[in-house]
């Protein structure tokens, strides 16, 4: 059985994995780059090892360094989290070769699913419906134009090695084909070290719905129902929920079976996600498989009542799945929002900086998976996501109310975050009604870009607070000898315990 | 003790009329308030105004400038004392800041698409900067001439650092 | 419908009620004593009003002051939380008279259940089993001795108006009768303004198991299953869980019916708790009814999936219960621990003080209901409970693992807390096996008083941290002009981004 | 730069042998450590020692005294510099502190059960103090004589404040 796990990741997911390790009595080992010495995952782990410079390509993505750290620590398994090396077949193989358990699928499954084109073919063989598109990667720009015209505009250009919206471009006009392919290739190279891209037919009014699956090494496979991930900005998910508000029991069952079949087609082992693109009539097409834990896995955990990381570890321990499809149910409704360090008023520009003050939302039905703390400086080298807020309630309506309450109570100062933007999403009629697709953000710009105009009173209250702070600071800076009386006047402001009242 | 205070771009008079412990009578322009104000955490004030509870978070930069966060709003606030007034009076009449491209956050120069002396059309991208795994394109708004390129590809830059100086195009 | 609720309480429960108010779109009004101006409930509420001096008897217990604040704010309802005025019949009546909805039962129900002796009689009439004991309050010490001898030692002396272990004394020896009765009376007077006490037969190997009930104003009553509250110190609960590890389905159903019958016997309205004392053979006796929300209500919320405060408010709005007994189930296992500001190494002495630093436990299956924050000074006037940690997992075993993980991650400095003690409880074999009764703490002293002897390494690591801090501070205090070079040597210690490595 | 450091009641020598950024070679008595140490929050240090990650929280009282919390332990630590040594050398030879009853935390005197001149038996309660709604009885350990009662019922008291002075009973 696994006794010590190295988590080849950082941020909230590293901590989330470590929590389950601790509950299982397994030691956790962190790795960190130069930018991450003060990061919470280093502090949270039982052990921590340095793996290189800040840039991920020289640390978190360097297989040799990770393996070295694993050997140094005596870890018998590696959990890759999401991103970084989580879908790197070479890494999966290397772990195997080194006698370290890779908590994730085989290189075969990663390679087959990781290459979107091979995956499409595999799915077609397994009778899983796929989106019309290219059957091989685009090798040059001239060919790109030809291929796009064949599939027919609008199309999506996608990185073969991709995921998470990176290296992805939509093309509507012919004159944008070249620039989009170039940009997608450049981003794909920067993000994945592989610039292969391919083309897919663009589905109108598309919903992004994915199924969580678990497969063991004994031929058992189950799904843990769907997640609705259609609220996206620049193809990046920002709000996820389960159950999907458009799902029916019939389609759910059918899609679930297709999801398990998709995973089985590559002899999958571990936790994975089958992403589907779904139209308004609930026609669905296999989009891709993410051969790892997803950012949004907690909503499934909450509604199904399963710790997915523990399941991953059990499967890696070669144990058969104890969960049975027929015993699994969706209980209530869960929503996750992703909190990014970004400026919603300035085109969602990433906004790294130092956390001055943080108040985390607590209480009934709220889970908060984060990693920042007061005084922590968010590095500019990695993803700007700083935390995830997950709420549960018996009904979708109550879950939305709860999310609004949690967002209201969640305060981070020092950096700009997406919290105000997420709060607005919860109030958009299309979201409240559950009638939305991946165009939700652009379709609802009028709600989402609306500014709350402050009234005089709130402006004055803000001014009063600043003014009182200014006067207190003035007093503190006054030289003792010259004006002791004045000094005590403001410095201890608010420290008196017994007060007169108006 | 009367001061001026600038909230975003609006300047008001502010004056403490009376104080009793943490109970304060204060006037902002001619609006009078009785508030119960207390610093509950470093930089966080709890204010009660006619029973209504406000939480105000201050981030100060220097002695007189604040970013002030209320529940739904964020304000840039500056206390204008005699010194500030003097500085402002000296400043007026000077030219505007030089025209340059900069980024709001630290990042890395991915690609510079222009060189000194280039004429660029409004809307044209001049530089691509990467920060936190996102590439952003920086464009000029109007037709401009590139006066100077202050960085090279691969450079790490600070937020608000001038990276490309722009000049007006003579018609 | 209720639009604005005044919460006549403080601390975690005030905030917990406000959270549900916010989710329901109801405005919340805080009240605060002189000691509580900086308390989180004041900051969390929409409005806040001052109600008097620090001592509760002059503020939180003064009905006139609470009513004044309600009128000033225009609140149309009052939620009393637990403790303070929550079981005060006069307060319930007064609210009614003033046209303010009291979110709790009628004075009749409070009086009947609040007076333990009347309650016993009522229960006997309703065929609910009760513990043998006195039928009227003890009026003088001579009589006390006589009565105790009649019932037979050992006995419990209990405050008629009591609850929460206050004004409660166990008597085993005859010579202790007088001192115990005196002490119980004095504590009862101080805590409840009423020094009536009564005597009950002491049950051997007793389990404290309680049932949560909800009754509306339309004759509907349901129970939400049991809570096991046998882990007590000085008759104060410190760990609660649900389901009870000793419960069977048959007894649960029977006890649930008796619990509902008990509440119905006093025409109960709202949320309440029927406490039973249960022996090892699952014989159970009505102990008392708490006519309010309990501290430990969150474990029921988690396992049954119901927001009890919302239910209270709906009932107060005169709505019929939507929950049906036949649809309710217990899903998984929940455990709550209470975190007190106290020194477990010093006879659990309350340990008020200023919170220097706090790291709250987060993640899957963890709920944290607290109210303190960094820089907050815990007042010495009120209960030393500072927060509650509630965990959920599919199984009891996993819930214990999770609680240990949460306690591990929960750090509060500046005050001593019960966290280390609670951590030890989770490791006691009797607790792990679910074989414990209310003598658990004394029976397991050998586990609970055990100290972890630090090794040299951890001592040295602590010394190194202190020494480095000392050197850094020294440098900061060096005068600029004299030794700038030295100053920069330690002051910015650890602020460097690029580091050499050994 | 060698110091003595007192951890609870044990005194050790402590000496920085080498420093490179936040990498430190340090000796405690003759035990040598290579640590990676960094202050991650005010008063919170992250220490890596042979890969093992420690979180150490410091609460300083004065410049040289600390309460230091590790995961499962809490230590009172004092840095002993020349000044402290001098103070300690002066102190030795003085009498012990006067004998008195005090409470570890602030509270309120509920009941005083003795008066000046009373002889009390060991184990007898002399005062009841209420703090945070709990009443605690304070007893004498051995037979004692009450020398002075410094408070009265209803008084609020600070933590560690002498409340009743005790004298030895002559046999």
């Amino acid at each position: 059985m696994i006794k010590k796990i190295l988590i080849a990741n950082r941020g909230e997911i590293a901590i989330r994995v470590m929590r389950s390790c601790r509950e299982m009595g397994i030691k956790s080992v962190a790795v960190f780059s130069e930018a991450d010495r003060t990061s919470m995952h280093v502090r949270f782990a039982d052990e921590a090892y340095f793996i290189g410079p800040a840039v991920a390509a020289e640390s978190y993505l360097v297989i040799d360094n990770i393996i070295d750290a694993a050997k140094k620590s005596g870890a018998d398994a590696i959990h890759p989290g999401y991103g970084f090396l989580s879908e790197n077949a070479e890494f999966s193989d290397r772990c195997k070769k080194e006698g370290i358990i890779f908590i994730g699928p085989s290189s075969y499954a990663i390679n087959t699913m990781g290459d979107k084109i091979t995956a499409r073919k595999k799915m077609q063989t397994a009778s899983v419906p796929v989106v019309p598109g290219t059957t091989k990667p685009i090798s040059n720009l001239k060919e790109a134009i030809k291929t796009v015209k064949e599939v027919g505009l609008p199309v999506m250009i996608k990185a073969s090695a991709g995921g998470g919206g990176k290296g992805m471009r939509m093309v509507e006009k012919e004159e944008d084909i070249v620039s989009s392919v170039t940009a997608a290739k450049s981003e794909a190279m920067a993000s994945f070290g592989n610039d292969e891209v391919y083309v897919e037919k663009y589905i109108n009014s598309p919903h992004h719905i994915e199924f969580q699956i678990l497969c063991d090494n004994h031929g058992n496979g189950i799904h843990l129902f769907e997640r609705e991930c259609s609220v996206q900005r620049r193809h990046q998910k920002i709000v996820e929920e389960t159950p999907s508000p458009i799902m029916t029991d019939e389609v759910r069952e059918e899609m679930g079976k297709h999801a398990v079949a998709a995973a089985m087609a590559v002899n999958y082992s571990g936790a994975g996600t089958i992403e589907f693109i779904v139209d308004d009539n609930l026609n669905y097409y296999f989009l891709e498989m993410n051969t790892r834990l997803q950012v949004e896995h907690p909503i499934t955990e909450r509604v199904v009542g399963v710790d997915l990381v523990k399941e991953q570890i059990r499967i890696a321990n070669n144990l058969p799945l104890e969960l049975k499809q027929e015993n699994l149910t969706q209980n209530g409704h869960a929503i996750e929002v992703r909190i990014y360090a970004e400026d919603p008023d300035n085109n969602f520009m990433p906004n790294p900086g130092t956390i001055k003050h943080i108040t985390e939302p607590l209480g009934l039905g709220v889970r908060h998976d984060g990693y920042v703390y007061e005084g922590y400086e968010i590095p500019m080298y990695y993803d700007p996501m700083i935390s995830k807020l997950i709420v549960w309630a018996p009904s979708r309506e109550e879950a939305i109310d709860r999310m609004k309450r949690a967002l209201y109570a969640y305060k981070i100062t020092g950096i700009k975050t997406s919290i105000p933007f997420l709060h607005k999403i919860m109030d958009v009629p299309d979201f409240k009604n559950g009638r939305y697709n991946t165009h939700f953000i652009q379709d609802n710009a009028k709600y989402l870009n609306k500014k709350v105009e402050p009234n005089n009173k709130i402006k004055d209250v803000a001014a009063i607070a600043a003014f009182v702070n200014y006067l207190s600071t003035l007093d503190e800076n006054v030289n003792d000898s010259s004006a002791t009386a004045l000094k005590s006047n403001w410095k201890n402001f608010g420290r008196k315990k017994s007060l007169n009242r108006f | 003790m009367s001061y001026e205070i600038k909230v975003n771009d609006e300047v008001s008079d502010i004056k403490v009329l009376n104080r009793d412990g943490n109970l304060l009578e204060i006037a902002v322009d001619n609006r009078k308030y009785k508030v119960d104000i207390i610093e509950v955490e470093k930089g966080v004030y709890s204010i009660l105004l006619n029973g209504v509870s406000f939480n105000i978070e201050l981030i100060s930069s220097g002695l007189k400038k604040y970013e002030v966060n209320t529940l739904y709003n964020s304000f840039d606030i500056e206390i204008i004392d005699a010194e500030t007034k003097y500085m402002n009076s000296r400043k007026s009449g000077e030219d505007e800041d030089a025209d340059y491209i900069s980024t709001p956050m630290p990042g890395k120069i991915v690609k510079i698409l222009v060189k000194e002396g280039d004429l660029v059309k409004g809307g044209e991208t001049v530089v691509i900067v990467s920060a936190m795994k996102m590439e952003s394109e920086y464009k000029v708004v109007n037709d401009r001439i590139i006066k100077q390129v202050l960085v090279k590809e691969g450079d790490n830059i600070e937020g608000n650092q001038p990276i490309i100086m722009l000049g007006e195009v003579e018609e």
Side-chain angles (χ1 to χ4, degrees), chain A, chain B:
Chain A
M1 289 297 156
I2 294 168
K3 299 246 181 301
K4 192 186 272 190
I5 295 177
L6 181 146
I7 295 95
N9 216 303
R10 62 179 304 282
E12 69 86 20
I13 191 61
I15 292 167
R16 189 263 166 273
V17 173
M18 288 175 198
R19 288 196 174 107
S20 287
C21 288
R22 181 155 289 273
E23 291 180 17
M24 297 176 87
I26 294 169
K27 295 271 177 201
S28 58
V29 179
V31 290
F32 63 98
S33 74
E34 267 175 14
D36 272 341
R37 174 62 185 89
T38 61
S39 215
M40 188 56 94
H41 74 286
V42 175
R43 301 169 55 190
F44 203 83
D46 292 305
E47 300 179 28
Y49 295 88
F50 175 71
I51 49 158
V55 179
E58 299 174 39
S59 50
Y60 295 104
L61 291 170
V62 181
I63 293 177
D64 281 342
N65 296 5
I66 306 283
I67 297 290
D68 274 358
K71 299 249 152 152
K72 239 186 273 176
S73 67
D76 43 16
I78 294 179
H79 193 298
Y82 52 71
F84 294 137
L85 295 172
S86 62
E87 297 183 285
N88 185 309
E90 186 192 337
F91 186 52
S92 173
D93 269 347
R94 175 67 181 277
C95 289
K96 200 171 185 180
K97 202 180 121 200
E98 302 282 352
I100 298 166
I101 296 170
F102 177 72
I103 301 176
S106 66
S107 61
Y108 166 73
I110 297 174
N111 275 332
T112 311
M113 286 302 193
D115 187 278
K116 307 306 172 199
I117 294 162
T118 317
R120 283 172 59 86
K121 286 185 199 150
K122 197 85 190 169
M123 290 306 104
Q124 284 169 311
T125 316
S127 308
V128 179
V130 299
V131 182
T134 44
T135 45
K136 57 194 173 83
I138 290 169
S139 53
N140 64 56
L141 293 174
K142 209 182 259 174
E143 187 204 346
I145 298 171
K146 185 168 154 269
T147 312
V148 169
K149 282 184 181 164
E150 274 167 22
V151 174
L153 283 165
V155 298
M156 295 297 292
I157 313 286
K158 296 185 177 186
S160 287
K166 278 166 198 136
M168 206 189 260
R169 286 286 187 285
M170 178 182 166
V171 188
E172 290 179 289
K173 293 182 221 143
E174 203 174 317
E175 62 261 41
D176 293 337
I177 295 175
V178 170
S179 67
S180 297
V181 170
T182 309
K185 273 178 173 288
S186 143
E187 249 182 71
M189 181 53 86
S191 298
F192 314 109
N194 171 350
D195 75 345
E196 267 189 18
V197 297
Y198 68 104
V199 169
E200 248 180 31
K201 174 79 188 146
Y202 180 76
I203 305 270
N204 216 30
S205 185
H207 301 262
H208 176 117
I209 297 179
E210 60 187 28
F211 272 68
Q212 176 69 52
I213 62 97
L214 282 175
C215 298
D216 64 17
N217 303 332
H218 307 273
N220 303 305
I222 57 171
H223 69 87
L224 292 89
F225 311 103
E226 82 279 15
R227 291 185 290 256
E228 167 69 62
C229 309
S230 298
V231 178
Q232 303 187 351
R233 200 193 57 230
R234 299 182 189 142
H235 308 292
Q236 183 89 36
K237 301 165 192 170
I238 50 177
V239 178
E240 301 98 355
E241 62 178 315
T242 183
S244 164
I246 63 164
M247 187 58 70
T248 65
D249 285 344
E250 294 69 35
V251 176
R252 176 178 294 120
E253 204 185 326
E254 196 190 301
M255 282 178 84
K257 278 178 187 160
H258 272 136
V260 173
M264 291 300 202
V266 293
N267 300 321
Y268 198 78
S269 165
T273 295
I274 314 292
E275 296 192 342
F276 293 98
I277 189 163
V278 183
D279 69 18
D280 277 343
N281 301 318
L282 293 183
N283 297 311
Y284 58 92
Y285 311 94
F286 172 86
L287 203 55
E288 62 181 42
M289 176 170 193
N290 295 310
T291 56
R292 51 159 167 92
L293 204 64
Q294 297 276 84
V295 175
E296 59 273 24
H297 75 277
I299 56 173
T300 297
E301 294 188 318
R302 187 58 179 85
V303 159
V304 186
V306 168
D307 183 329
L308 287 170
V309 172
K310 286 186 186 169
E311 293 301 325
Q312 287 186 301
I313 295 171
R314 286 196 193 107
I315 292 167
N317 265 328
N318 220 16
L319 296 170
L321 275 176
E322 286 178 18
L323 301 168
K324 304 279 171 230
Q325 190 70 59
E326 58 271 25
N327 298 334
L328 297 179
T329 52
Q330 292 170 296
N331 173 25
H333 199 95
I335 306 177
E336 171 183 284
V337 297
R338 303 187 187 190
I339 318 288
Y340 288 99
E342 63 181 19
D343 186 353
D345 295 334
N346 188 9
N347 198 27
F348 303 103
M349 198 75 82
N351 192 261
T354 301
I355 306 291
K356 299 276 187 206
H357 195 263
I358 181 163
T359 306
E360 284 157 323
L362 300 170
L364 176 58
V366 176
R367 167 177 174 186
H368 178 228
D369 274 28
Y371 81 104
V372 303
Y373 57 87
E374 278 175 29
Y376 178 68
E377 189 185 339
I378 298 174
M380 50 165 279
Y381 301 96
Y382 313 112
D383 197 273
M385 191 179 82
I386 53 178
S387 73
K388 307 182 304 201
L389 205 49
I390 302 102
V391 301
W392 177 91
S395 68
R396 184 172 188 272
E397 191 188 352
E398 192 174 354
I400 293 173
D401 289 342
R402 187 155 289 158
M403 182 59 87
K404 283 163 67 175
R405 184 265 287 175
L407 287 167
Y408 163 82
Y410 196 0
K411 315 273 185 212
I412 304 179
T413 60
I415 53 162
K416 306 241 183 212
T417 72
S418 52
I419 293 174
F421 185 72
L422 294 166
H423 208 289
K424 284 180 197 163
I425 288 177
M426 296 296 130
D427 277 330
V428 171
D430 280 355
F431 185 78
K432 286 164 95 169
N433 300 332
R435 286 195 316 255
Y436 63 88
N437 56 40
T438 56
H439 305 142
F440 173 78
I441 302 284
Q442 55 262 45
D443 287 354
N444 287 282
K446 69 171 170 173
Y447 295 101
L448 297 171
N449 299 335
K450 197 166 61 184
K451 295 219 180 191
V452 181
E453 230 2 270
N455 58 23
N456 260 342
K457 195 198 273 180
I458 188 71
K459 267 193 242 174
D460 287 351
V461 166
I464 289 166
F467 189 56
V468 164
N469 185 272
Y470 169 74
L471 293 176
S472 316
T473 317
L474 262 196
D475 282 351
E476 271 176 32
N477 292 345
V478 167
N479 190 293
D480 271 42
S481 53
S482 66
T484 312
L486 183 65
K487 183 177 164 141
S488 67
N489 194 28
W490 286 97
K491 193 187 174 185
N492 292 317
F493 196 65
R495 296 291 164 207
K496 260 175 79 184
K497 279 284 162 189
S498 285
L499 313 163
N500 298 319
R501 293 275 144 194
F502 288 124
Chain B
M1 191 163 49
S2 176
Y3 285 79
E4 286 182 348
I5 193 162
K6 194 162 88 177
V7 179
N8 292 343
D9 289 322
E10 242 171 88
V11 176
S12 304
D13 289 317
I14 189 161
K15 189 179 159 79
V16 173
L17 303 174
N18 197 8
R19 186 192 156 203
D20 181 5
N22 55 318
L23 303 180
L24 215 60
E25 285 186 81
I26 197 164
V28 183
D29 284 343
N30 50 7
R31 300 179 295 276
K32 285 186 190 168
Y33 297 98
K34 285 184 179 181
V35 296
D36 175 339
I37 176 166
I38 196 162
E39 188 172 16
V40 285
E41 296 176 69
K42 182 89 193 126
V44 182
Y45 283 81
S46 164
I47 296 182
L48 300 180
L49 169 59
N50 302 325
V52 178
S53 176
F54 296 89
N55 283 280
I56 311 288
E57 302 197 308
L58 306 180
I59 301 165
S60 60
S61 49
L63 179 59
K64 298 173 216 164
K65 288 188 176 180
Y66 295 92
E67 184 192 322
V68 180
N69 295 316
T70 64
L71 184 52
Y72 295 110
N73 298 104
S74 185
F75 302 100
D76 289 316
I77 294 187
E78 185 180 358
I79 316 291
I80 302 171
D81 60 3
E83 191 196 354
T84 315
K85 277 184 189 163
Y86 173 72
M87 298 299 282
N88 288 348
S89 71
R90 271 182 36 139
K91 223 165 150 188
S92 67
E94 284 181 15
D95 284 330
E96 282 179 33
D97 287 342
D99 223 346
Y100 56 83
I101 298 276
S102 71
T103 66
M105 74 268 167
K108 189 176 183 173
I109 304 295
V110 175
K111 203 162 183 61
I112 299 169
L113 301 157
V114 293
K115 58 181 195 301
E116 274 175 46
D118 279 2
L119 283 168
V120 286
K121 289 274 167 211
E124 211 169 292
T125 300
V126 293
V127 63
I128 300 174
V129 177
S130 141
M132 305 185 95
K133 313 285 279 176
M134 285 289 293
E135 294 188 0
S136 306
E137 301 182 345
Y138 289 81
K139 301 168 198 285
V140 289
V141 179
N142 300 306
D143 295 0
R144 289 302 182 100
I145 185 165
I146 304 300
K147 280 173 69 176
Q148 204 180 352
V149 178
L150 300 163
V151 293
K152 57 186 192 306
E153 291 178 6
D155 279 5
N156 286 314
I157 50 164
E158 299 294 315
N160 302 314
Q161 172 189 334
I163 51 183
I164 294 178
M165 308 301 291
L166 306 173
E168 301 284 337
V169 179
E170 312 286 332
E171 295 297 312

